[in-house]
Amino acid sequence: MWQSNKLVCSSYVPRSSFASILVLLLVIIPLIVIVGFLSFYSPIFTIQNPSELLKAATSASTPTPTPTPLISSSQHNDASKAPSPFSSKETSEAPAPFTLPPPLEEEEVTTLKHKGFNEGIVTSKRQRRLKKIEASLARARSAIREAALVRNLTSTHQDPDYVPWGPVYRNANAFHRSYLEMERLFKIYVYEEGEPPIFHNGPCRSIYSTEGRFIHEMEKGQFYRTRNPDEALVYFLPFSVVMMVQYLYKPESHDIDGIQRAVVDYIDIIGNKHPFWNRSLGADHFMLSCHDWGPRASTFVPDLFHRSIRVLCNANTSEGFNPSKDASFPEIHLRTGEVTGLIGGEMPSRRSILAFFAGRLHGHIRYLLLEQWKNKDQDVQVYDQLPDKVSYNSMLKKSRFCLCPSGYEVASPRVVEAIYAECVPVLISDNYVPPFSDVLNWKSFSVQVEVKDIPNIKTILMGISQKQYLRLYMRVRKVQRHFVVNGPPKRFDVFHMTVHSIWLRRLNTQIEDQ
């Protein structure tokens, strides 16, 4: 019987074939299930190229190195003794187990990333701003140098209020240009840390009144103050040494630890909270004090003493006062807080007393003066205590020359008292830098007598001709505006001149943000 080679599809399967198929299915189906299960719960692993396969095989056959144990901050001293993970030298102790720190929460990771990013942006912005500030200061320096080339006695710059002129200035044109640049550019940031009465406060009715008045004017913020520290050229440390002495010092105890802690802690606080102190090590910061202990208070922080601008009444070069970075500050005794009744005096023709001084025995210079001249001469009237019913101010106003000897410290309020009374000041001191002496020519309106020449005071003053005296008298009247305390401050007065002294020191300092 002929059979066709054509395969006929039929539902009929021989019994032996059916059994074979059944066995095959029983083996294959479980395998498929197992493979599917494994593929569902296992990551997909693919080899992109042969080199990846080689790399995977190599990493699989290489043992994982033992991790280095972490060294805590308390173990840093022994870090050099710790075995290196790459050293072949065996140790008897097993390495400490490496423990991963707990993972940061997602929110913490985001915060840290954003913080680092923002800090980078802030730092970059500050660097750019500082470069702009330094560039503007460079242009100001150039303008002032150019103005200094003009040797006229009168400033060539226009000004609606006052145009400096005359020999009372070292260079009237340069000073005026500098003053105008200060008004245009200068910005001061006052640190807000600290609480009154020691911080942001000071006396306004005492021999230390200029310290308190300056602090209060800066707190008001009407002149030069900026609330943005990034745009400031200098930073004011608003502590009052006078108030520290009042509240932190026990009289006669000779214990100034409280003052030291206050100054050191304050610098630490602003250094930790703000980047500006550490950026310049204090070179663009300034403190201000009229107390005798002002210089001493600055010694508690070396950078404050050596680098910062110290505005001091006690401007004594033998005690570390550096005129190139520190500024002399006038000491003004305002008993009522005002200058009413203090300004002005008799005309030269009505000044009958050649020289006058009244003051207590403070320091060796006054001792020499009183020993030499007390009750000795009607032309040179020297008192340790005025007679009853004799007015101190009236004596100033009718004297030609007012003796201004140093006391325990070099500064004396008698210098400004003499200028107010239009009495030619006679400076008797060692190592004293007068206020605003980088702008004012003190020799043009005052007489300076060395301590060794105290016995010759009358001879020296009598040797000044009437013509010379009248010139001195007129120049005293001219510089008077720079020492007057006004409320509110007026251009070119003592407040603005003090700020100008700070401006000049900052002008000569270049700050870089590393």
Side-chain angles (χ1 to χ4, degrees), residues 330-368:
E331 186 172 308
I332 304 175
H333 192 179
L334 296 180
R335 293 170 177 82
T336 65
E338 304 294 336
V339 297
T340 305
L342 302 179
I343 306 295
E346 299 288 351
M347 297 295 293
S349 60
R350 301 183 63 179
R351 292 180 179 258
S352 58
I353 302 172
L354 176 65
F356 165 72
F357 169 79
R360 295 179 180 177
L361 184 59
H362 290 169
H364 76 285
I365 295 179
R366 291 193 188 181
Y367 172 81
L368 295 174

Side-chain angles (χ1 to χ4, degrees), residues 58 61 114 122 199 253 279 420 443 461 481:
T58 305
S61 61
H114 287 177
V122 169
F199 302 92
S253 68
R279 180 180 69 181
Y420 281 2
K443 290 182 179 180
L461 298 181
R481 69 166 61 240

Side-chain angles (χ1 to χ4, degrees), residues 1-55:
M1 177 178 175
W2 177 82
Q3 293 181 344
S4 171
N5 292 328
K6 186 178 180 180
L7 180 61
V8 177
C9 293
S10 171
S11 59
Y12 171 76
V13 179
R15 182 175 294 181
S16 59
S17 298
F18 181 82
S20 300
I21 293 171
L22 182 61
V23 172
L24 185 62
L25 290 174
L26 290 175
V27 174
I28 292 175
I29 290 174
L31 289 175
I32 293 173
V33 172
I34 292 171
V35 171
F37 179 83
L38 292 175
S39 64
F40 182 81
Y41 286 98
S42 300
I44 299 174
F45 178 74
T46 57
I47 303 297
Q48 300 295 333
N49 53 57
S51 64
E52 291 291 338
L53 179 61
L54 178 62
K55 190 181 294 183

